[in-house]
Amino acid sequence: MPRLALYALVVCLLTVAAAVVSFVRGSVFIGVVWVLLAGLSSNMTWYYLRRGRAAGRNGSVTG
């Protein structure tokens, strides 16, 4: 797994946890913001995974 994909996955998991905490505490607006950030970091994870796999097929190494 490429390093940037791993970092984006960790950010995604942390934002999901922050969203859950925000909703439990009753802060709906902040919870929605965290959910949107989780979606963004999820997309970044998939992007870096696919980019890393494509680079692996071509023989080049990316970080």
Side-chain angles (χ1 to χ4, degrees):
M1 176 179 272
R3 190 180 331 160
L4 287 175
L6 184 61
Y7 291 157
L9 179 62
V10 169
V11 169
C12 182
L13 294 175
L14 289 173
T15 55
V16 168
V20 169
V21 169
S22 294
F23 284 124
V24 166
R25 290 188 175 182
S27 182
V28 176
F29 178 74
I30 299 298
V32 169
V33 171
W34 283 118
V35 167
L36 292 174
L37 285 172
L40 176 68
S41 61
S42 172
N43 287 340
M44 289 173 63
T45 302
W46 283 113
Y47 172 77
Y48 287 124
L49 274 175
R50 290 174 52 201
R51 184 176 135 188
R53 288 181 187 160
R57 286 189 209 123
N58 294 335
S60 62
V61 177
T62 60

